[in-house]
Amino acid sequence: MSNSGPSHAPTTMRETFNQFRFYRRELEGAGLFIDVDFSHCTARQVFYACHGRAPGSLHEALAHERFTPRELFVAAVSSGEFQNKLVARFLAAYPEKRRLIFVHIPKCAGSDVSTHLFGRYASLNTKIVDQTITNIPELHGAIKDISLEILVSDQIYVHGHTHLQTYVDWGALRYDDDVFTTIRRPVDLIISQVNYVLTRIFSDESPIPHDTHGWREEFKITNLHDYRDAPAVRRLASTILRNNGVVPENVICRYIGDGTYKNSVERLAIHNVEITNLENYHLWLKERWGISTFTRMNESKKFISLNDFNDEDQKYLAHTTHEDQKLYDRNCSRG
């Protein structure tokens, strides 16, 4: 017979994550730590259960004299520290789960990969640590989802636009875990990124998405009617191409290493990263994951192609993808 009494207040981070299985989204903060026995719970317990550390000061250690234990727990799991370190701490809380770490390089079929793997494994999206993207209710909802998924999954699929070195810094890579990535022809990647930005800029969604608003501001676009003809779109595409904050140089090598071919090859070897290119992507899906259903998720509208760029822009493209091209050629030569 199951225990019908309240659960005890968490003393470890794993117990804290497990409590999220009972989180009520519709109640937001009020839906956390319902029917929990907080008898004799102190601020020190909250710090260890939510941050894995002792309080940093006497003021923090005596916080239970000013707030209820439940208030302290809710505040702790809604804090910047808890969110910033969420991925590393969640993985550490479940060491018995094998990790599938996907280094999602933008515009390299990463969304498509995740679409196939979401339904197979407990899924942890690294974007939840970014406070500019994920608000607190969304954070708590995501923790609820994976804390339930992990009950029926022996593996955790970790994904998001996160650099390989960040996973290293998080201590997420272990000997027996799988680390993999997908790449594509570097010039095609950049053109796809430009097309993606154009797709978002010209989006007619309402309300205006955050990225659409941001890119319209970045490129000083106040009237979309100014960009209805092809020459205007090509001029805008050239401006986007040369904005290094939006279209970084050698993006593949930046996600894998320090932006250079040499360092990226070293990182791939050190961390035993499995790498495939888009030419072999469908075969890889079938042989690696047993997936024969082909999709094209997050595909951008094709506003421009390589031939739409002038000679100067094409030279710029070749220059800014030079290190990536060497890595891509190496991968292709190895099959």
mmCIF file of all heavy atoms in Angstrom, residues 295-329:
data_model
loop_
_atom_site.group_PDB
_atom_site.id
_atom_site.type_symbol
_atom_site.label_atom_id
_atom_site.label_comp_id
_atom_site.label_asym_id
_atom_site.label_seq_id
_atom_site.Cartn_x
_atom_site.Cartn_y
_atom_site.Cartn_z
ATOM 1 N N THR A 295 12.044 13.838 -42.688
ATOM 2 C CA THR A 295 11.346 15.114 -42.522
ATOM 3 C C THR A 295 12.332 16.249 -42.778
ATOM 4 O O THR A 295 13.536 16.033 -42.877
ATOM 5 C CB THR A 295 10.768 15.240 -41.100
ATOM 6 O OG1 THR A 295 11.829 15.041 -40.141
ATOM 7 C CG2 THR A 295 9.684 14.196 -40.853
ATOM 8 N N ARG A 296 11.821 17.459 -42.824
ATOM 9 C CA ARG A 296 12.668 18.647 -43.004
ATOM 10 C C ARG A 296 12.146 19.740 -42.074
ATOM 11 O O ARG A 296 11.490 20.683 -42.505
ATOM 12 C CB ARG A 296 12.656 19.117 -44.458
ATOM 13 C CG ARG A 296 13.234 18.114 -45.450
ATOM 14 C CD ARG A 296 13.110 18.608 -46.884
ATOM 15 N NE ARG A 296 13.936 19.760 -47.134
ATOM 16 C CZ ARG A 296 15.195 19.701 -47.554
ATOM 17 N NH1 ARG A 296 15.783 18.535 -47.716
ATOM 18 N NH2 ARG A 296 15.876 20.799 -47.784
ATOM 19 N N MET A 297 12.456 19.593 -40.798
ATOM 20 C CA MET A 297 11.953 20.528 -39.798
ATOM 21 C C MET A 297 12.735 21.835 -39.811
ATOM 22 O O MET A 297 13.929 21.870 -40.079
ATOM 23 C CB MET A 297 12.033 19.886 -38.409
ATOM 24 C CG MET A 297 11.259 18.573 -38.293
ATOM 25 S SD MET A 297 9.508 18.744 -38.702
ATOM 26 C CE MET A 297 8.980 19.860 -37.389
ATOM 27 N N ASN A 298 12.013 22.917 -39.496
ATOM 28 C CA ASN A 298 12.615 24.257 -39.369
ATOM 29 C C ASN A 298 13.269 24.729 -40.667
ATOM 30 O O ASN A 298 14.245 25.475 -40.642
ATOM 31 C CB ASN A 298 13.642 24.274 -38.238
ATOM 32 C CG ASN A 298 13.906 25.676 -37.710
ATOM 33 O OD1 ASN A 298 13.007 26.522 -37.702
ATOM 34 N ND2 ASN A 298 15.124 25.930 -37.270
ATOM 35 N N GLU A 299 12.737 24.286 -41.791
ATOM 36 C CA GLU A 299 13.294 24.696 -43.081
ATOM 37 C C GLU A 299 12.885 26.132 -43.384
ATOM 38 O O GLU A 299 11.728 26.518 -43.202
ATOM 39 C CB GLU A 299 12.799 23.771 -44.186
ATOM 40 C CG GLU A 299 13.462 24.013 -45.529
ATOM 41 C CD GLU A 299 13.027 23.003 -46.570
ATOM 42 O OE1 GLU A 299 12.051 22.283 -46.318
ATOM 43 O OE2 GLU A 299 13.674 22.948 -47.629
ATOM 44 N N SER A 300 13.825 26.934 -43.839
ATOM 45 C CA SER A 300 13.569 28.335 -44.125
ATOM 46 C C SER A 300 13.089 28.518 -45.562
ATOM 47 O O SER A 300 13.383 27.710 -46.447
ATOM 48 C CB SER A 300 14.855 29.159 -43.936
ATOM 49 O OG SER A 300 15.374 28.994 -42.647
ATOM 50 N N LYS A 301 12.355 29.604 -45.790
ATOM 51 C CA LYS A 301 11.985 29.978 -47.145
ATOM 52 C C LYS A 301 13.246 30.426 -47.890
ATOM 53 O O LYS A 301 14.110 31.096 -47.324
ATOM 54 C CB LYS A 301 10.959 31.114 -47.114
ATOM 55 C CG LYS A 301 10.481 31.545 -48.492
ATOM 56 C CD LYS A 301 9.424 32.636 -48.387
ATOM 57 C CE LYS A 301 8.984 33.107 -49.773
ATOM 58 N NZ LYS A 301 7.966 34.175 -49.692
ATOM 59 N N LYS A 302 13.383 30.062 -49.148
ATOM 60 C CA LYS A 302 14.583 30.380 -49.908
ATOM 61 C C LYS A 302 14.415 31.720 -50.633
ATOM 62 O O LYS A 302 13.941 31.786 -51.760
ATOM 63 C CB LYS A 302 14.897 29.254 -50.892
ATOM 64 C CG LYS A 302 15.331 27.961 -50.196
ATOM 65 C CD LYS A 302 15.611 26.860 -51.193
ATOM 66 C CE LYS A 302 16.233 25.641 -50.519
ATOM 67 N NZ LYS A 302 15.391 25.108 -49.429
ATOM 68 N N PHE A 303 14.836 32.772 -49.953
ATOM 69 C CA PHE A 303 14.786 34.103 -50.549
ATOM 70 C C PHE A 303 15.955 34.327 -51.504
ATOM 71 O O PHE A 303 15.806 34.999 -52.528
ATOM 72 C CB PHE A 303 14.832 35.178 -49.457
ATOM 73 C CG PHE A 303 13.575 35.294 -48.656
ATOM 74 C CD1 PHE A 303 13.401 34.563 -47.490
ATOM 75 C CD2 PHE A 303 12.537 36.140 -49.059
ATOM 76 C CE1 PHE A 303 12.249 34.673 -46.739
ATOM 77 C CE2 PHE A 303 11.380 36.249 -48.317
ATOM 78 C CZ PHE A 303 11.230 35.513 -47.154
ATOM 79 N N ILE A 304 17.107 33.782 -51.162
ATOM 80 C CA ILE A 304 18.309 34.017 -51.970
ATOM 81 C C ILE A 304 19.100 32.725 -52.115
ATOM 82 O O ILE A 304 18.969 31.803 -51.311
ATOM 83 C CB ILE A 304 19.198 35.138 -51.369
ATOM 84 C CG1 ILE A 304 19.514 34.825 -49.893
ATOM 85 C CG2 ILE A 304 18.545 36.495 -51.497
ATOM 86 C CD1 ILE A 304 20.876 34.305 -49.669
ATOM 87 N N SER A 305 19.945 32.673 -53.135
ATOM 88 C CA SER A 305 20.855 31.548 -53.346
ATOM 89 C C SER A 305 22.255 32.119 -53.548
ATOM 90 O O SER A 305 22.448 33.347 -53.563
ATOM 91 C CB SER A 305 20.434 30.732 -54.563
ATOM 92 O OG SER A 305 20.536 31.525 -55.744
ATOM 93 N N LEU A 306 23.229 31.259 -53.711
ATOM 94 C CA LEU A 306 24.608 31.720 -53.868
ATOM 95 C C LEU A 306 24.743 32.677 -55.046
ATOM 96 O O LEU A 306 25.445 33.689 -54.964
ATOM 97 C CB LEU A 306 25.537 30.513 -54.047
ATOM 98 C CG LEU A 306 27.016 30.825 -54.277
ATOM 99 C CD1 LEU A 306 27.606 31.568 -53.089
ATOM 100 C CD2 LEU A 306 27.799 29.529 -54.537
ATOM 101 N N ASN A 307 24.075 32.379 -56.154
ATOM 102 C CA ASN A 307 24.201 33.206 -57.350
ATOM 103 C C ASN A 307 23.605 34.602 -57.194
ATOM 104 O O ASN A 307 23.879 35.490 -58.006
ATOM 105 C CB ASN A 307 23.555 32.506 -58.547
ATOM 106 C CG ASN A 307 24.318 31.264 -58.969
ATOM 107 O OD1 ASN A 307 25.529 31.172 -58.747
ATOM 108 N ND2 ASN A 307 23.628 30.302 -59.561
ATOM 109 N N ASP A 308 22.791 34.808 -56.150
ATOM 110 C CA ASP A 308 22.216 36.133 -55.901
ATOM 111 C C ASP A 308 23.211 37.087 -55.255
ATOM 112 O O ASP A 308 22.990 38.297 -55.248
ATOM 113 C CB ASP A 308 20.972 36.019 -55.008
ATOM 114 C CG ASP A 308 19.830 35.324 -55.716
ATOM 115 O OD1 ASP A 308 19.602 35.640 -56.903
ATOM 116 O OD2 ASP A 308 19.175 34.466 -55.096
ATOM 117 N N PHE A 309 24.295 36.544 -54.711
ATOM 118 C CA PHE A 309 25.333 37.387 -54.120
ATOM 119 C C PHE A 309 26.324 37.828 -55.195
ATOM 120 O O PHE A 309 26.652 37.063 -56.107
ATOM 121 C CB PHE A 309 26.084 36.621 -53.023
ATOM 122 C CG PHE A 309 25.287 36.402 -51.767
ATOM 123 C CD1 PHE A 309 24.784 35.148 -51.464
ATOM 124 C CD2 PHE A 309 25.035 37.449 -50.900
ATOM 125 C CE1 PHE A 309 24.059 34.934 -50.306
ATOM 126 C CE2 PHE A 309 24.306 37.254 -49.739
ATOM 127 C CZ PHE A 309 23.810 36.003 -49.441
ATOM 128 N N ASN A 310 26.806 39.048 -55.080
ATOM 129 C CA ASN A 310 27.781 39.542 -56.061
ATOM 130 C C ASN A 310 29.155 38.919 -55.785
ATOM 131 O O ASN A 310 29.350 38.197 -54.793
ATOM 132 C CB ASN A 310 27.849 41.068 -56.048
ATOM 133 C CG ASN A 310 28.254 41.627 -54.689
ATOM 134 O OD1 ASN A 310 29.059 41.034 -53.971
ATOM 135 N ND2 ASN A 310 27.707 42.782 -54.342
ATOM 136 N N ASP A 311 30.111 39.215 -56.650
ATOM 137 C CA ASP A 311 31.432 38.594 -56.544
ATOM 138 C C ASP A 311 32.101 38.919 -55.212
ATOM 139 O O ASP A 311 32.754 38.061 -54.612
ATOM 140 C CB ASP A 311 32.330 39.065 -57.700
ATOM 141 C CG ASP A 311 31.897 38.496 -59.040
ATOM 142 O OD1 ASP A 311 31.102 37.520 -59.024
ATOM 143 O OD2 ASP A 311 32.338 39.012 -60.077
ATOM 144 N N GLU A 312 31.951 40.149 -54.756
ATOM 145 C CA GLU A 312 32.569 40.557 -53.483
ATOM 146 C C GLU A 312 31.984 39.763 -52.310
ATOM 147 O O GLU A 312 32.715 39.313 -51.421
ATOM 148 C CB GLU A 312 32.366 42.056 -53.270
ATOM 149 C CG GLU A 312 33.127 42.607 -52.070
ATOM 150 C CD GLU A 312 32.977 44.108 -51.940
ATOM 151 O OE1 GLU A 312 32.519 44.751 -52.905
ATOM 152 O OE2 GLU A 312 33.306 44.629 -50.852
ATOM 153 N N ASP A 313 30.666 39.598 -52.320
ATOM 154 C CA ASP A 313 30.020 38.825 -51.262
ATOM 155 C C ASP A 313 30.450 37.355 -51.307
ATOM 156 O O ASP A 313 30.639 36.722 -50.265
ATOM 157 C CB ASP A 313 28.495 38.909 -51.382
ATOM 158 C CG ASP A 313 27.940 40.236 -50.899
ATOM 159 O OD1 ASP A 313 28.643 40.924 -50.130
ATOM 160 O OD2 ASP A 313 26.805 40.580 -51.292
ATOM 161 N N GLN A 314 30.598 36.815 -52.507
ATOM 162 C CA GLN A 314 30.994 35.413 -52.622
ATOM 163 C C GLN A 314 32.434 35.205 -52.127
ATOM 164 O O GLN A 314 32.739 34.175 -51.510
ATOM 165 C CB GLN A 314 30.839 34.934 -54.058
ATOM 166 C CG GLN A 314 29.381 34.851 -54.501
ATOM 167 C CD GLN A 314 29.198 34.098 -55.811
ATOM 168 O OE1 GLN A 314 29.975 33.219 -56.136
ATOM 169 N NE2 GLN A 314 28.148 34.435 -56.552
ATOM 170 N N LYS A 315 33.291 36.190 -52.376
ATOM 171 C CA LYS A 315 34.653 36.110 -51.840
ATOM 172 C C LYS A 315 34.626 36.184 -50.315
ATOM 173 O O LYS A 315 35.375 35.476 -49.629
ATOM 174 C CB LYS A 315 35.505 37.245 -52.407
ATOM 175 C CG LYS A 315 35.850 37.100 -53.877
ATOM 176 C CD LYS A 315 36.665 38.288 -54.366
ATOM 177 C CE LYS A 315 36.970 38.154 -55.857
ATOM 178 N NZ LYS A 315 37.715 39.340 -56.374
ATOM 179 N N TYR A 316 33.744 37.025 -49.791
ATOM 180 C CA TYR A 316 33.595 37.142 -48.339
ATOM 181 C C TYR A 316 33.111 35.814 -47.757
ATOM 182 O O TYR A 316 33.598 35.357 -46.724
ATOM 183 C CB TYR A 316 32.613 38.262 -48.008
ATOM 184 C CG TYR A 316 32.335 38.424 -46.530
ATOM 185 C CD1 TYR A 316 33.207 39.144 -45.711
ATOM 186 C CD2 TYR A 316 31.209 37.843 -45.943
ATOM 187 C CE1 TYR A 316 32.958 39.287 -44.356
ATOM 188 C CE2 TYR A 316 30.947 37.971 -44.590
ATOM 189 C CZ TYR A 316 31.825 38.701 -43.801
ATOM 190 O OH TYR A 316 31.577 38.830 -42.459
ATOM 191 N N LEU A 317 32.157 35.188 -48.438
ATOM 192 C CA LEU A 317 31.649 33.890 -48.003
ATOM 193 C C LEU A 317 32.777 32.853 -47.933
ATOM 194 O O LEU A 317 32.889 32.106 -46.940
ATOM 195 C CB LEU A 317 30.579 33.407 -48.977
ATOM 196 C CG LEU A 317 29.117 33.628 -48.623
ATOM 197 C CD1 LEU A 317 28.229 33.312 -49.821
ATOM 198 C CD2 LEU A 317 28.719 32.774 -47.441
ATOM 199 N N ALA A 318 33.594 32.794 -48.963
ATOM 200 C CA ALA A 318 34.686 31.823 -48.993
ATOM 201 C C ALA A 318 35.685 32.093 -47.864
ATOM 202 O O ALA A 318 36.187 31.158 -47.221
ATOM 203 C CB ALA A 318 35.387 31.866 -50.348
ATOM 204 N N HIS A 319 35.960 33.377 -47.617
ATOM 205 C CA HIS A 319 36.919 33.750 -46.572
ATOM 206 C C HIS A 319 36.395 33.383 -45.184
ATOM 207 O O HIS A 319 37.143 32.841 -44.356
ATOM 208 C CB HIS A 319 37.204 35.250 -46.651
ATOM 209 C CG HIS A 319 38.004 35.768 -45.490
ATOM 210 N ND1 HIS A 319 39.350 35.491 -45.346
ATOM 211 C CD2 HIS A 319 37.634 36.529 -44.418
ATOM 212 C CE1 HIS A 319 39.784 36.057 -44.224
ATOM 213 N NE2 HIS A 319 38.764 36.692 -43.651
ATOM 214 N N THR A 320 35.114 33.647 -44.913
ATOM 215 C CA THR A 320 34.562 33.447 -43.572
ATOM 216 C C THR A 320 34.189 31.996 -43.282
ATOM 217 O O THR A 320 33.793 31.677 -42.161
ATOM 218 C CB THR A 320 33.319 34.333 -43.348
ATOM 219 O OG1 THR A 320 32.336 34.030 -44.358
ATOM 220 C CG2 THR A 320 33.683 35.800 -43.411
ATOM 221 N N THR A 321 34.320 31.132 -44.274
ATOM 222 C CA THR A 321 34.044 29.707 -44.057
ATOM 223 C C THR A 321 35.291 28.851 -44.307
ATOM 224 O O THR A 321 35.198 27.630 -44.406
ATOM 225 C CB THR A 321 32.905 29.215 -44.980
ATOM 226 O OG1 THR A 321 33.281 29.446 -46.350
ATOM 227 C CG2 THR A 321 31.600 29.938 -44.688
ATOM 228 N N HIS A 322 36.456 29.489 -44.373
ATOM 229 C CA HIS A 322 37.683 28.794 -44.765
ATOM 230 C C HIS A 322 38.010 27.634 -43.816
ATOM 231 O O HIS A 322 38.292 26.509 -44.267
ATOM 232 C CB HIS A 322 38.853 29.779 -44.810
ATOM 233 C CG HIS A 322 40.157 29.154 -45.169
ATOM 234 N ND1 HIS A 322 40.396 28.597 -46.404
ATOM 235 C CD2 HIS A 322 41.295 28.967 -44.450
ATOM 236 C CE1 HIS A 322 41.629 28.112 -46.447
ATOM 237 N NE2 HIS A 322 42.197 28.318 -45.262
ATOM 238 N N GLU A 323 37.967 27.875 -42.506
ATOM 239 C CA GLU A 323 38.292 26.824 -41.541
ATOM 240 C C GLU A 323 37.220 25.732 -41.540
ATOM 241 O O GLU A 323 37.531 24.531 -41.461
ATOM 242 C CB GLU A 323 38.441 27.428 -40.138
ATOM 243 C CG GLU A 323 39.573 28.437 -40.011
ATOM 244 C CD GLU A 323 40.934 27.798 -40.209
ATOM 245 O OE1 GLU A 323 41.292 26.903 -39.421
ATOM 246 O OE2 GLU A 323 41.648 28.183 -41.165
ATOM 247 N N ASP A 324 35.972 26.137 -41.632
ATOM 248 C CA ASP A 324 34.875 25.164 -41.703
ATOM 249 C C ASP A 324 35.004 24.265 -42.924
ATOM 250 O O ASP A 324 34.733 23.058 -42.859
ATOM 251 C CB ASP A 324 33.523 25.886 -41.761
ATOM 252 C CG ASP A 324 33.052 26.363 -40.404
ATOM 253 O OD1 ASP A 324 33.735 26.094 -39.396
ATOM 254 O OD2 ASP A 324 31.988 27.017 -40.339
ATOM 255 N N GLN A 325 35.412 24.856 -44.041
ATOM 256 C CA GLN A 325 35.509 24.085 -45.278
ATOM 257 C C GLN A 325 36.562 22.991 -45.149
ATOM 258 O O GLN A 325 36.367 21.869 -45.641
ATOM 259 C CB GLN A 325 35.835 24.999 -46.464
ATOM 260 C CG GLN A 325 35.750 24.312 -47.823
ATOM 261 C CD GLN A 325 34.349 23.808 -48.137
ATOM 262 O OE1 GLN A 325 33.378 24.550 -48.014
ATOM 263 N NE2 GLN A 325 34.236 22.544 -48.546
ATOM 264 N N LYS A 326 37.655 23.297 -44.465
ATOM 265 C CA LYS A 326 38.691 22.283 -44.264
ATOM 266 C C LYS A 326 38.160 21.132 -43.416
ATOM 267 O O LYS A 326 38.437 19.957 -43.707
ATOM 268 C CB LYS A 326 39.926 22.913 -43.597
ATOM 269 C CG LYS A 326 40.709 23.824 -44.520
ATOM 270 C CD LYS A 326 42.076 24.178 -43.940
ATOM 271 C CE LYS A 326 41.963 25.126 -42.765
ATOM 272 N NZ LYS A 326 43.295 25.554 -42.278
ATOM 273 N N LEU A 327 37.393 21.458 -42.405
ATOM 274 C CA LEU A 327 36.809 20.401 -41.561
ATOM 275 C C LEU A 327 35.788 19.593 -42.346
ATOM 276 O O LEU A 327 35.754 18.359 -42.238
ATOM 277 C CB LEU A 327 36.158 21.025 -40.319
ATOM 278 C CG LEU A 327 35.594 20.035 -39.307
ATOM 279 C CD1 LEU A 327 36.719 19.226 -38.672
ATOM 280 C CD2 LEU A 327 34.796 20.759 -38.234
ATOM 281 N N TYR A 328 34.984 20.279 -43.131
ATOM 282 C CA TYR A 328 33.968 19.594 -43.941
ATOM 283 C C TYR A 328 34.637 18.661 -44.956
ATOM 284 O O TYR A 328 34.221 17.509 -45.117
ATOM 285 C CB TYR A 328 33.101 20.609 -44.650
ATOM 286 C CG TYR A 328 32.029 19.979 -45.507
ATOM 287 C CD1 TYR A 328 30.818 19.554 -44.945
ATOM 288 C CD2 TYR A 328 32.215 19.786 -46.878
ATOM 289 C CE1 TYR A 328 29.842 18.952 -45.724
ATOM 290 C CE2 TYR A 328 31.247 19.197 -47.653
ATOM 291 C CZ TYR A 328 30.050 18.774 -47.084
ATOM 292 O OH TYR A 328 29.092 18.183 -47.845
ATOM 293 N N ASP A 329 35.677 19.132 -45.608
ATOM 294 C CA ASP A 329 36.400 18.315 -46.601
ATOM 295 C C ASP A 329 37.004 17.091 -45.932
ATOM 296 O O ASP A 329 36.988 15.978 -46.501
ATOM 297 C CB ASP A 329 37.482 19.138 -47.293
ATOM 298 C CG ASP A 329 36.911 20.205 -48.214
ATOM 299 O OD1 ASP A 329 35.722 20.092 -48.591
ATOM 300 O OD2 ASP A 329 37.644 21.149 -48.552
#
